[in-house]
Amino acid sequence: MKAIAYPGRRKTWLFGGLALAIIVVGLALWSLSSPGISSELDIPAYEASAMADPSGPPWLSGKRDDAGFASAARTDRLELLVNPASGQVIVQELRSDVQWRSNPTTVQLESQKVGGILRTNLESPFILEYAEQNKAQRLVVNGKDPGVKLSFSTTDNGVAANYEFDQLGFRFSLVYGLTDNGFHVAIPAASITESGPFRILSIDPLPFFGAAEDDPAEPGYMFVPDGPGALIRYPQQQKRVGAGYYQYVYGPELTNKSFDPVTVSMPVFGMKKGEQAFLAVITEGEKASAIRALTPGLVSSFNSVNTRFIYREEYNRRLNLGGRAIRVFQNELLREDRQIQYYFMEEDEADYSGMARRYRKHLLDTGGLGPALAPSSNIPMHLTLVGGDTIYYGDSQYEIATTFAQGEEILRELKDAGVHELRITWRNWQHKGTLAPDMRLNVERKLGGKPGLQSFIDAAHGLGFKVYLNAVLTQADSEGSELPPKTYGVRSVEGDTLFDYEFFFLNPNITYNYAQELINEAAVLQADGIHYSGIGETVFREYNPRFAYTRNDTAYLYNRILEQTQGTLGAGSAFLGNTYALRYLSDIQQFPGETHQYYAIDETVPFYPMAVHGHITYSMVPGNLRSQYDDEFLRAIEYGAVPSFIVTAESSRTLMQTKTWGLFTSQFSQWKEKAAAEYESFNRLASLHHLQMTGHSKRTEGVYETEYADGTVVVVDYNEKTFRVERGGGT
């Protein structure tokens, strides 16, 4: 299987709350030699920024306490305190008297050994990076700068801190407010101005909110959304080195030619301090942000976790064809509203399980997650059938790995072996496979053509199974595709067509319109859904001046594709499953099960599975592709996944000279018994498939338990390589 890192208008702003408009396909042909697909969309425009520039009357602080803080807002549970002199804020929990502070206390700062900008950063509600125009040096300023002017204005539920840097020519606002569920901080795009030679690169709002010392009397951890979820515990057991944890939400920006893997699929982070905890959700601007976690000894003696909002990307600008380049920053400021919502938890709720439950509720409250699954007496299996692929040299001959007729026989054998529910994904079913000349429903004749595919779908339905067609609509192979890269391809930040080796990335409009055609054609065949590669897996910008897409725009279009797929066919499926796409996904394959171990990860936890289980069906590494078979099988059980296999009727050797690689052992006859046995094991959890996860913990070393809404507990023992199901807490 080719291990491809799949990514992601007229000058039109798109917004996720709009209804899907009628699509006009084929408004124009690019040329007589090009496929007839239009780049135009009939989608209403939206305003890029919804938050107004804070313009309320001045905030009069009133009575202040001994530390200079005054009340700015209050609810039944929380009170917002603001220091008019420093701009620091405190969120006071009224029931417990617990305080969540934007910055360490004066007493805590007395022991700090750092000086200069590192010291003043600890006292500031924000850290701002900037650069002089046409220069590559990153500079830092904060709220303690002697040249800053700070004023306050009132808002409906809090206060806005307005900062002006006359010498730098900057102005922006931090808007603080209390909600029924917690506290938020926002930076409206309308509040940002730049005048002069300097340019804003990034802003870290509340970089030390809830920062904790390495105190053995109050242990805790920072939660970061790496893979399924990860903990960085404190006090640290050993000294850590490096620059700290820093990862982009939904992966790095591909158009900067950074093709690192996506490690963060959720725009969340958190902190546990003793019996208290918070979960932070980036609710605006998450697609242009990063998660940062620092441990003592890096910039201070504190543990801290926060968001960095990115306004300009840094990239390599080529100076000549020989490859010489310099580091530069983008010229245009990314004008998008930014906001973080903080939720507070205490006692039994104050752990990563409580954070996951809180995030699930946030997703449901905001329409980011679909309804609960229906109860079923059997669990589904994700089965991928690989039709074959084209040899990528010589005469481009298509090599057959599984015909549609052979696929039918595989289904019957699995049914007879006791596999009661299958969701089948057909891979490389299209003419020429990976080298498909276009994205339409052009079925490879050697597999049986369209009649063979129709027969397969009918046979699957007769057995009670569902069929998804795999579609790669975000990339095309320049060696075989008839799509002209210069016309259909995404432009990088430098203005050239974006390539990853021979693959070029398709403009999101092209992807959108091809998807509409494929969805309609699949409906005629009565396919049950489409499994997308790329869509739901990543996002990226488009620098073609004709479109000028942001990552937000691309995600909007991809979500419209998934919505249309679900509405027309009944199901949409994807790899990885970034949370921007969850609302319209029924299935996720290769769901993240491990952290990437970039920095200081102490423990991997199933935060993401806990947030979505019972609403989406997901599988992890296919059984025949596992590197540690028993442990990865048990992890799938522990994380509430369904079984998964990717198979061929013929030997995997038939694909060795094609662009489908990595299937070292895929022949169905060799895996049939193992697949049936695995299904039987997973099916012991069928009654839990539609239920939400309510808890997860470590019992002893190598033994973990997962609790479900009905009280059932699944215990996984990695030492003995076994698992058991305890009903209602009893064996």
Side-chain angles (χ1 to χ4, degrees), residues 469-484:
L469 301 180
N470 181 221
V472 184
L473 303 181
T474 56
Q475 284 186 326
D477 190 324
S478 60
E479 295 182 357
S481 175
E482 296 176 1
L483 307 180

PDB file of all heavy atoms in Angstrom, residues 469-484:
ATOM      1  N   LEU A 469     -16.614   2.881  -1.788  1.00  0.00           N
ATOM      2  CA  LEU A 469     -15.607   3.029  -2.833  1.00  0.00           C
ATOM      3  C   LEU A 469     -14.523   3.976  -2.347  1.00  0.00           C
ATOM      4  O   LEU A 469     -14.820   5.098  -1.925  1.00  0.00           O
ATOM      5  CB  LEU A 469     -16.231   3.580  -4.117  1.00  0.00           C
ATOM      6  CG  LEU A 469     -17.355   2.756  -4.745  1.00  0.00           C
ATOM      7  CD1 LEU A 469     -17.863   3.444  -6.003  1.00  0.00           C
ATOM      8  CD2 LEU A 469     -16.884   1.342  -5.068  1.00  0.00           C
ATOM      9  N   ASN A 470     -13.276   3.540  -2.378  1.00  0.00           N
ATOM     10  CA  ASN A 470     -12.176   4.421  -1.997  1.00  0.00           C
ATOM     11  C   ASN A 470     -11.947   5.459  -3.097  1.00  0.00           C
ATOM     12  O   ASN A 470     -11.959   5.140  -4.282  1.00  0.00           O
ATOM     13  CB  ASN A 470     -10.904   3.605  -1.776  1.00  0.00           C
ATOM     14  CG  ASN A 470      -9.730   4.455  -1.343  1.00  0.00           C
ATOM     15  OD1 ASN A 470      -8.613   4.239  -1.800  1.00  0.00           O
ATOM     16  ND2 ASN A 470      -9.946   5.414  -0.470  1.00  0.00           N
ATOM     17  N   ALA A 471     -11.755   6.724  -2.691  1.00  0.00           N
ATOM     18  CA  ALA A 471     -11.542   7.796  -3.658  1.00  0.00           C
ATOM     19  C   ALA A 471     -10.412   8.698  -3.182  1.00  0.00           C
ATOM     20  O   ALA A 471     -10.422   9.161  -2.044  1.00  0.00           O
ATOM     21  CB  ALA A 471     -12.818   8.616  -3.844  1.00  0.00           C
ATOM     22  N   VAL A 472      -9.454   8.916  -4.061  1.00  0.00           N
ATOM     23  CA  VAL A 472      -8.362   9.858  -3.795  1.00  0.00           C
ATOM     24  C   VAL A 472      -8.630  11.088  -4.649  1.00  0.00           C
ATOM     25  O   VAL A 472      -8.307  11.110  -5.841  1.00  0.00           O
ATOM     26  CB  VAL A 472      -6.988   9.250  -4.134  1.00  0.00           C
ATOM     27  CG1 VAL A 472      -5.873  10.211  -3.756  1.00  0.00           C
ATOM     28  CG2 VAL A 472      -6.800   7.915  -3.433  1.00  0.00           C
ATOM     29  N   LEU A 473      -9.235  12.108  -4.065  1.00  0.00           N
ATOM     30  CA  LEU A 473      -9.647  13.292  -4.809  1.00  0.00           C
ATOM     31  C   LEU A 473      -8.857  14.532  -4.429  1.00  0.00           C
ATOM     32  O   LEU A 473      -9.161  15.625  -4.921  1.00  0.00           O
ATOM     33  CB  LEU A 473     -11.142  13.558  -4.584  1.00  0.00           C
ATOM     34  CG  LEU A 473     -12.097  12.425  -4.948  1.00  0.00           C
ATOM     35  CD1 LEU A 473     -13.540  12.853  -4.694  1.00  0.00           C
ATOM     36  CD2 LEU A 473     -11.911  11.994  -6.387  1.00  0.00           C
ATOM     37  N   THR A 474      -7.861  14.382  -3.576  1.00  0.00           N
ATOM     38  CA  THR A 474      -7.064  15.536  -3.160  1.00  0.00           C
ATOM     39  C   THR A 474      -5.708  15.572  -3.845  1.00  0.00           C
ATOM     40  O   THR A 474      -5.011  16.571  -3.777  1.00  0.00           O
ATOM     41  CB  THR A 474      -6.847  15.517  -1.642  1.00  0.00           C
ATOM     42  OG1 THR A 474      -6.251  14.273  -1.258  1.00  0.00           O
ATOM     43  CG2 THR A 474      -8.165  15.703  -0.907  1.00  0.00           C
ATOM     44  N   GLN A 475      -5.325  14.462  -4.498  1.00  0.00           N
ATOM     45  CA  GLN A 475      -4.046  14.381  -5.193  1.00  0.00           C
ATOM     46  C   GLN A 475      -4.230  13.664  -6.520  1.00  0.00           C
ATOM     47  O   GLN A 475      -5.196  12.926  -6.717  1.00  0.00           O
ATOM     48  CB  GLN A 475      -3.022  13.592  -4.366  1.00  0.00           C
ATOM     49  CG  GLN A 475      -2.437  14.345  -3.194  1.00  0.00           C
ATOM     50  CD  GLN A 475      -1.335  13.524  -2.530  1.00  0.00           C
ATOM     51  OE1 GLN A 475      -1.402  12.307  -2.485  1.00  0.00           O
ATOM     52  NE2 GLN A 475      -0.337  14.193  -2.009  1.00  0.00           N
ATOM     53  N   ALA A 476      -3.287  13.870  -7.403  1.00  0.00           N
ATOM     54  CA  ALA A 476      -3.236  13.124  -8.659  1.00  0.00           C
ATOM     55  C   ALA A 476      -1.780  12.804  -8.968  1.00  0.00           C
ATOM     56  O   ALA A 476      -0.871  13.546  -8.591  1.00  0.00           O
ATOM     57  CB  ALA A 476      -3.867  13.920  -9.797  1.00  0.00           C
ATOM     58  N   ASP A 477      -1.579  11.690  -9.663  1.00  0.00           N
ATOM     59  CA  ASP A 477      -0.241  11.256 -10.033  1.00  0.00           C
ATOM     60  C   ASP A 477       0.096  11.850 -11.398  1.00  0.00           C
ATOM     61  O   ASP A 477      -0.533  11.520 -12.405  1.00  0.00           O
ATOM     62  CB  ASP A 477      -0.182   9.729 -10.086  1.00  0.00           C
ATOM     63  CG  ASP A 477       1.233   9.199 -10.219  1.00  0.00           C
ATOM     64  OD1 ASP A 477       2.044   9.845 -10.906  1.00  0.00           O
ATOM     65  OD2 ASP A 477       1.523   8.135  -9.636  1.00  0.00           O
ATOM     66  N   SER A 478       1.084  12.714 -11.431  1.00  0.00           N
ATOM     67  CA  SER A 478       1.418  13.408 -12.673  1.00  0.00           C
ATOM     68  C   SER A 478       1.933  12.469 -13.750  1.00  0.00           C
ATOM     69  O   SER A 478       1.913  12.808 -14.927  1.00  0.00           O
ATOM     70  CB  SER A 478       2.464  14.493 -12.398  1.00  0.00           C
ATOM     71  OG  SER A 478       3.662  13.925 -11.869  1.00  0.00           O
ATOM     72  N   GLU A 479       2.385  11.267 -13.368  1.00  0.00           N
ATOM     73  CA  GLU A 479       2.925  10.330 -14.344  1.00  0.00           C
ATOM     74  C   GLU A 479       1.830   9.615 -15.136  1.00  0.00           C
ATOM     75  O   GLU A 479       2.094   9.072 -16.203  1.00  0.00           O
ATOM     76  CB  GLU A 479       3.815   9.296 -13.648  1.00  0.00           C
ATOM     77  CG  GLU A 479       5.064   9.909 -13.025  1.00  0.00           C
ATOM     78  CD  GLU A 479       5.948   8.866 -12.375  1.00  0.00           C
ATOM     79  OE1 GLU A 479       5.564   7.675 -12.362  1.00  0.00           O
ATOM     80  OE2 GLU A 479       7.019   9.233 -11.871  1.00  0.00           O
ATOM     81  N   GLY A 480       0.605   9.590 -14.604  1.00  0.00           N
ATOM     82  CA  GLY A 480      -0.451   8.879 -15.304  1.00  0.00           C
ATOM     83  C   GLY A 480      -1.706   9.694 -15.524  1.00  0.00           C
ATOM     84  O   GLY A 480      -2.502   9.388 -16.410  1.00  0.00           O
ATOM     85  N   SER A 481      -1.893  10.735 -14.757  1.00  0.00           N
ATOM     86  CA  SER A 481      -3.137  11.486 -14.824  1.00  0.00           C
ATOM     87  C   SER A 481      -3.188  12.383 -16.055  1.00  0.00           C
ATOM     88  O   SER A 481      -2.172  12.898 -16.524  1.00  0.00           O
ATOM     89  CB  SER A 481      -3.291  12.345 -13.565  1.00  0.00           C
ATOM     90  OG  SER A 481      -4.426  13.173 -13.657  1.00  0.00           O
ATOM     91  N   GLU A 482      -4.388  12.554 -16.592  1.00  0.00           N
ATOM     92  CA  GLU A 482      -4.611  13.496 -17.680  1.00  0.00           C
ATOM     93  C   GLU A 482      -4.863  14.909 -17.165  1.00  0.00           C
ATOM     94  O   GLU A 482      -5.009  15.844 -17.950  1.00  0.00           O
ATOM     95  CB  GLU A 482      -5.805  13.036 -18.530  1.00  0.00           C
ATOM     96  CG  GLU A 482      -5.576  11.711 -19.243  1.00  0.00           C
ATOM     97  CD  GLU A 482      -6.801  11.235 -19.987  1.00  0.00           C
ATOM     98  OE1 GLU A 482      -7.819  11.957 -19.965  1.00  0.00           O
ATOM     99  OE2 GLU A 482      -6.746  10.146 -20.585  1.00  0.00           O
ATOM    100  N   LEU A 483      -4.920  15.084 -15.856  1.00  0.00           N
ATOM    101  CA  LEU A 483      -5.167  16.402 -15.281  1.00  0.00           C
ATOM    102  C   LEU A 483      -3.893  17.238 -15.370  1.00  0.00           C
ATOM    103  O   LEU A 483      -2.844  16.822 -14.876  1.00  0.00           O
ATOM    104  CB  LEU A 483      -5.601  16.279 -13.825  1.00  0.00           C
ATOM    105  CG  LEU A 483      -6.771  15.339 -13.522  1.00  0.00           C
ATOM    106  CD1 LEU A 483      -7.057  15.330 -12.035  1.00  0.00           C
ATOM    107  CD2 LEU A 483      -7.999  15.764 -14.299  1.00  0.00           C
ATOM    108  N   PRO A 484      -3.945  18.409 -15.961  1.00  0.00           N
ATOM    109  CA  PRO A 484      -2.746  19.246 -16.058  1.00  0.00           C
ATOM    110  C   PRO A 484      -2.414  19.894 -14.719  1.00  0.00           C
ATOM    111  O   PRO A 484      -3.221  20.653 -14.181  1.00  0.00           O
ATOM    112  CB  PRO A 484      -3.135  20.296 -17.099  1.00  0.00           C
ATOM    113  CG  PRO A 484      -4.618  20.341 -17.065  1.00  0.00           C
ATOM    114  CD  PRO A 484      -5.101  18.980 -16.676  1.00  0.00           C
TER     115      PRO A 484
END
